[in-house]
Amino acid sequence: MSETPVRITVDGVEIAAAAGQLLIDACEQAGTYIPRFCYHPRMRPVGMCRMCLVDVDTGRGPALAPSCMLEVRDGMVVETASDAARKAQDGVLEFLLVNHPLDCPVCDKGGECPLQDQTMAYGPGESRFVEEKRHFDKPLAISELVYLDRERCILCDRCTRFADEVAGEPLIGFQGRGYHTEVNTFPDRPFDSYFSGNTVQICPVGALTARPYRFRARPWDLTETTSTYPNATGDRVSVHASRNRLLRIQGVDSEAVNHGWLADRDRFSFEAVHSPERLTEPLLRKDAELSPAPWSAALAAAGDALQAALGRGGPSSVAVLGGARLCSEDQYAWAKLAKGVIGTDNVDAQLGDGLPAELVCALPRATIAAACRPGGTVLTLAGDLREEFGSLFLRLRTAVGSGDVALVEMAPLAGSLTALARHSLRVRPGDADMIAEAILDPPHGAAIAGIATDELRAAAALFADGPLTVLVGRTSVAESATTTAHAALRLARAFPHARFLPLLRRGAAAGAIDAGLVPGLLPGRTTRQGAGAWYGAAWGGVPEHPGADAAGILVAAAAGRIDVLVLLGADPLADFPDRELARRALERVGTVIAVDVFGTASVGCADVVLPAVTFGERSGTHVNIEGRATAVTRQVTPPVQCRRDWEIAAELALLLGSDLRIASPTDAWTELTDLSPLHAGASWDGVRADLDGLLLPVAGDGNGTGGGNGTSGAPPGMVTLEDVRLPGAPVVPFDRYSYRLVADRSLYDRGTVVANCPSLASFARPARLRLNPRDFERLGCRPDDLLRVTSPAGAVSVAASADDRVPPAVAALAVNSGGADPGELIDIDAAVCEVRVEPPIP
């Protein structure tokens, strides 16, 4: 759209509108609402319902026209409530109600239905039709989550457009002709979409309903609050509850983040909050069994274990794993407890499946909106976004599909965006840095990378020309993060204009890094060496020695050097890539203190279990992958014995003879903004003043002024690219007899949230070894055969399947999907995981 505004007259009032803007949007921005059914601002207008007809004079006399299909033009005169417009709207509603059932009292949409509202405001008031309405069998289960009542459908095309245009999954569409036209799925192709719940939300009538919410409550029984879903992108949501139970999560249209879209796993995960498997009371290990105990006894046992560990082995004998599921206030409280009170730097919110924290802090940060802005180029150095970052995938797919953004893909496997990519560069596991080097020197790099010189040159030209956003994450946890980190660092130095979006899949891992819940860093993306004096003055001390990351912590634990291991919502036995190391570590640790919501496998190994609150039960702040701070709002009361994580940290500090001086989430956030150069200026109220929250740092380079808790002077600067120190990038020679393993993710795994949601648990499928179809002939086997996969670390037996998205000599196995576990094959010290694949011995 042009930046030059145009002047139009709406109902006798002259207003300004952007050239090229749709008339329906211009009128709404000026305060005049035009009724509509088919129009949705995030999808292509089609003008199907004709409810938005208005009287428009463009200089050739007034005429009725659909305002959703008409762009504003200078001098346009619009009458939204003329006799002709009102008569047209009256007629549209009368025809829609000819066959629409009057079952509002039992319809899930009743009370929040645009058809109800507009019939009252614009309709005829009574019907002239006495004939029998048409009927269909109802409801029709078009998927395991979505039901269809065909007689309610008004053929607005919203659901079909979303499935096709936004999700790229045209599994629902119009069938029949004329009077017999209906929306339905195709034979033997159910609506198995990761994003089907969005169609229920945008349906303007009750034609599509969600099974988890169907007949659970009436809209007027619900209390509603705007919050942030605790996923990596920080999707803005509306949380609905009744009688102290979460009943529904709806997407909220945030321009900065998710445009109102949600993945079904997030939308329907509210069921886990009220799961009977919740931890609802503290547990203490007695006689080798975990038994219920009072909070006082559980906290005393945890405090005694920490005191004993400090007396025996000093601060380095204590370690904290996890925290990526917490709000920023909780993360800050635990960072202050661990580093300021206990004095240990053995703290890591990532579980060996993320990126080096220093690199994440130093890379110039992009925003989600900037990545999807027209005219730019996006490089994805990551796994399949559809499986891990649902709302980001939808936004990027829309931008790339419309031709506004050029996409270059660097990944070992073809993914959901491959068909739309301008260039798709196949990267063997462990070779990411090699491909990045090849892009910078195409003639020389083509021979090294095995990619055509012309394709490398074309990709390099795209990177050099115009805005460049790099989405960098882990393509596989079966290879070292070092190669990906080196590739990102190489690209950052070669293309200074590039901006990076770190794809850390754990909910608030980016916020945990910013809060200092990682080794070597303090809050605000500052280093222990540079900011130690600053935080030491405020906290009373900081760690004297550098700490270990998750892998180092578990290695130390397995060697017997960790006396107390605190798990903050972490399950190393299920989530750490090297399963054998995780098992040995938990066996050798003196005391395991687990602060969690569910009884995971790792919680089963704990000596002290402290039940915590979860999403919907707490208030605080969420920081997403782009550094955007948004509000998390409490909606229901947690189980009576579940406590907030910052409270547990504060209680443990008192038992250790210290005081965190935190009595509420507001206190924690205020102290963080006083001390951290990154958070300076992001007040508690400021974060909540806008739907999109605040992008950190609020002021320019982040070097604001602080001085909380008696400190004075300027706070330290943040980590820069010059501060990043990475181990050398490993070069792994290719073994033509082995396969390189890709351990990737699927949206529905056997994680604790999905497992505790009755509506989602059945979607998790047992893992299968995915091989290129040509490899079956090489191996002398067929799809569905049981194969034996071995590595230096272990072996598994798993059924195979043919997948042409997997290149030859690469084997793919999903993480945490049940059945064969790739963690049994992975050695965390190896640069890549090479495996042998063969039929099992009879």
Side-chain angles (χ1 to χ4, degrees):
M1 291 187 296
S2 170
E3 296 182 0
T4 304
V6 298
R7 309 295 298 184
I8 64 173
T9 301
V10 178
D11 295 335
V13 178
E14 189 177 89
I15 64 171
Q21 188 177 25
L22 292 177
L23 178 57
I24 193 171
D25 290 332
C27 290
E28 186 168 2
Q29 288 178 8
T32 300
Y33 180 80
I34 299 176
R36 79 290 300 267
F37 292 115
C38 69
Y39 177 69
H40 190 282
R42 298 300 183 187
M43 294 186 289
R44 175 178 54 87
V46 289
M48 291 189 66
C49 71
R50 281 332 202 228
M51 190 63 201
C52 67
L53 287 171
V54 293
D55 245 332
V56 182
D57 187 351
T58 59
R60 295 180 294 180
L64 288 176
S67 57
C68 72
M69 300 292 291
L70 201 62
E71 293 184 357
V72 296
R73 299 166 70 177
D74 202 41
M76 181 182 285
V77 179
V78 182
E79 291 289 339
T80 65
S82 67
D83 291 342
R86 294 302 297 262
K87 181 175 177 59
Q89 292 165 350
D90 186 301
V92 168
L93 287 166
E94 186 173 24
F95 277 113
L96 288 179
L97 294 173
V98 166
N99 279 303
H100 191 87
L102 300 180
D103 59 352
C104 303
V106 298
C107 177
D108 271 348
K109 201 74 174 182
E112 56 183 9
C113 174
L115 182 58
Q116 278 185 327
D117 297 340
Q118 293 179 33
T119 297
M120 291 294 293
Y122 305 97
E126 61 182 21
S127 175
R128 293 181 290 170
F129 286 83
V130 296
E131 290 77 13
E132 179 73 11
K133 297 176 183 285
R134 62 181 178 181
H135 301 283
F136 295 97
D137 292 336
K138 58 180 293 185
L140 189 66
I142 60 175
S143 76
E144 294 186 45
L145 292 172
V146 178
Y147 287 171
L148 170 65
D149 288 299
R150 287 172 289 175
E151 63 236 39
R152 294 178 185 162
C153 180
I154 61 173
L155 304 179
C156 69
D157 199 26
R158 277 191 175 191
C159 58
T160 56
R161 274 182 291 153
F162 172 84
D164 185 18
E165 297 175 16
V166 182
E169 299 167 330
L171 300 173
I172 184 171
F174 288 125
Q175 299 178 11
R177 299 182 66 182
Y179 178 80
H180 300 287
T181 303
E182 64 181 63
V183 167
N184 211 327
T185 56
F186 300 98
D188 302 320
R189 293 193 68 192
F191 192 31
D192 287 339
S193 169
Y194 283 176
F195 310 103
S196 62
N198 293 290
T199 63
V200 176
Q201 180 173 337
I202 64 176
C203 179
V205 292
L208 294 173
T209 53
R211 184 171 64 85
Y213 174 71
R214 188 176 171 89
F215 300 142
R216 293 293 193 276
R218 312 305 298 161
W220 49 84
D221 294 328
L222 299 174
T223 57
E224 176 182 349
T225 186
T226 301
S227 186
T228 303
Y229 189 81
N231 58 12
T233 48
D235 294 338
R236 299 295 277 151
V237 296
S238 175
V239 186
H240 300 179
S242 178
R243 298 177 297 279
N244 202 44
R245 290 186 68 86
L246 297 186
L247 294 179
R248 186 169 64 174
I249 296 176
Q250 301 275 58
V252 172
D253 194 341
S254 166
E255 177 63 35
V257 185
N258 59 316
H259 281 186
W261 310 134
L262 291 175
D264 288 351
R265 182 189 62 183
D266 301 334
R267 182 182 295 275
F268 300 115
S269 65
F270 64 86
E271 292 179 326
V273 175
H274 306 291
S275 168
E277 302 302 317
R278 279 283 301 272
L279 293 172
T280 56
E281 57 185 345
L283 304 174
L284 273 178
R285 189 169 296 280
K286 298 178 181 178
D287 301 324
E289 296 290 333
L290 284 172
S291 304
W295 263 102
S296 57
L299 286 171
D304 290 345
L306 289 169
Q307 287 278 24
L310 292 174
R312 285 193 303 267
S316 62
S317 66
V318 178
V320 178
L321 271 182
R325 299 178 184 174
L326 310 183
C327 292
S328 292
E329 294 79 4
D330 306 306
Q331 293 163 346
Y332 175 73
W334 275 98
K336 186 177 181 180
L337 172 65
K339 300 190 177 189
V341 176
I342 297 173
T344 180
D345 198 41
N346 295 327
V347 178
D348 199 355
Q350 303 187 87
L351 289 182
D353 55 0
L355 295 169
E358 294 87 352
L359 179 68
V360 172
C361 293
L363 289 172
R365 198 71 65 95
T367 64
I368 294 171
C372 302
R373 190 168 296 149
T377 298
V378 171
L379 167 64
T380 59
L381 179 56
D384 193 338
L385 299 184
R386 179 174 174 268
E387 301 288 347
E388 302 186 58
F389 303 90
S391 62
L392 175 60
F393 163 77
L394 293 180
R395 288 199 59 174
L396 187 58
R397 189 198 171 278
T398 301
V400 174
S402 65
D404 292 337
V405 171
L407 176 67
V408 179
E409 182 183 60
M410 283 176 58
L413 312 179
S416 303
L417 291 172
T418 299
L420 298 175
R422 193 79 59 89
H423 302 285
S424 189
L425 311 179
R426 283 295 146 260
V427 182
R428 281 198 311 259
D431 289 353
D433 186 43
M434 183 189 303
I435 302 298
E437 183 181 4
I439 290 173
L440 303 181
D441 186 5
H444 174 65
I448 300 174
I451 299 173
T453 304
D454 290 345
E455 189 161 18
L456 289 173
R457 281 177 173 158
L462 280 174
F463 296 165
D465 183 21
L468 171 62
T469 303
V470 182
L471 309 186
V472 56
R474 293 290 289 277
T475 58
S476 166
V477 295
E479 64 175 292
S480 169
T482 305
T483 54
T484 302
H486 272 282
L489 199 56
R490 189 183 296 275
L491 292 168
R493 289 169 175 163
F495 301 102
H497 63 285
R499 294 294 177 267
F500 291 77
L501 199 58
L503 299 185
L504 307 178
R505 65 176 297 275
R506 297 193 175 276
I513 292 174
D514 291 349
L517 209 57
V518 286
L521 296 180
L522 292 169
R525 304 177 192 168
T526 58
T527 63
R528 184 179 58 85
Q529 297 87 346
W534 176 261
Y535 284 99
W539 290 356
V542 292
E544 295 181 4
H545 306 288
D549 61 5
I553 288 171
L554 294 179
V555 167
R561 298 196 301 272
I562 299 296
D563 287 334
V564 176
L565 176 63
V566 181
L567 301 177
L568 298 180
D571 186 7
L573 291 178
D575 292 336
F576 188 73
D578 187 336
R579 298 290 191 271
E580 176 58 26
L581 175 58
R583 283 193 290 266
R584 287 190 286 112
L586 290 183
E587 288 170 1
R588 292 293 305 276
V589 169
T591 301
V592 177
I593 302 171
V595 182
D596 214 321
V597 178
F598 295 100
T600 64
S602 299
V603 167
C605 300
D607 302 285
V608 182
V609 180
L610 306 176
V613 302
T614 187
F615 170 73
E617 300 172 345
R618 62 190 177 201
S619 294
T621 306
H622 181 90
V623 176
N624 71 355
I625 53 176
E626 63 181 4
R628 184 173 300 278
T630 49
V632 176
T633 309
R634 172 176 164 173
Q635 176 64 301
V636 295
T637 303
V640 65
Q641 291 208 61
C642 292
R643 292 194 181 181
R644 290 164 288 188
D645 293 85
W646 66 264
E647 285 182 308
I648 298 172
E651 291 282 357
L652 290 175
L654 290 174
L655 291 173
L656 294 176
S658 185
D659 186 355
L660 295 186
R661 299 188 298 275
I662 294 174
S664 68
T666 311
D667 288 347
W669 184 259
T670 301
E671 184 174 311
L672 182 59
T673 58
D674 282 345
L675 295 174
S676 164
L678 176 72
H679 300 82
S683 68
W684 176 271
D685 292 334
V687 170
R688 283 147 184 80
D690 191 279
L691 177 66
D692 293 337
L694 292 174
L695 189 64
L696 305 176
V698 175
D701 59 2
N703 293 317
T705 57
N709 300 328
T711 60
S712 62
M718 297 185 286
V719 178
T720 65
L721 286 175
E722 288 70 29
D723 299 320
V724 178
R725 298 291 181 268
L726 298 175
V731 178
V732 183
F734 185 68
D735 182 351
R736 64 190 182 92
Y737 296 103
S738 297
Y739 288 77
R740 290 192 179 180
L741 180 67
V742 172
D744 58 358
R745 304 280 182 178
S746 60
L747 184 74
Y748 296 114
D749 57 15
R750 298 195 184 274
T752 54
V753 172
V754 173
N756 285 282
C757 292
S759 298
L760 302 179
S762 63
F763 295 150
R765 299 287 186 260
R768 295 175 71 91
L769 188 72
R770 288 137 38 218
L771 298 170
N772 187 277
R774 287 182 289 173
D775 281 331
F776 284 91
E777 183 177 351
R778 171 189 172 189
L779 293 168
C781 61
R782 294 174 296 179
D784 298 324
D785 282 355
L786 190 67
L787 302 180
R788 182 172 176 79
V789 185
T790 59
S791 76
V796 298
S797 294
V798 58
S801 63
D803 190 341
D804 57 10
R805 297 176 300 175
V806 179
V810 171
L813 191 60
V815 173
N816 204 14
S817 292
D821 183 1
E824 301 292 347
L825 304 169
I826 298 171
D827 179 355
I828 197 67
D829 293 325
V832 296
C833 181
E834 292 196 331
V835 297
R836 297 294 177 99
V837 181
E838 56 191 356
I841 299 174

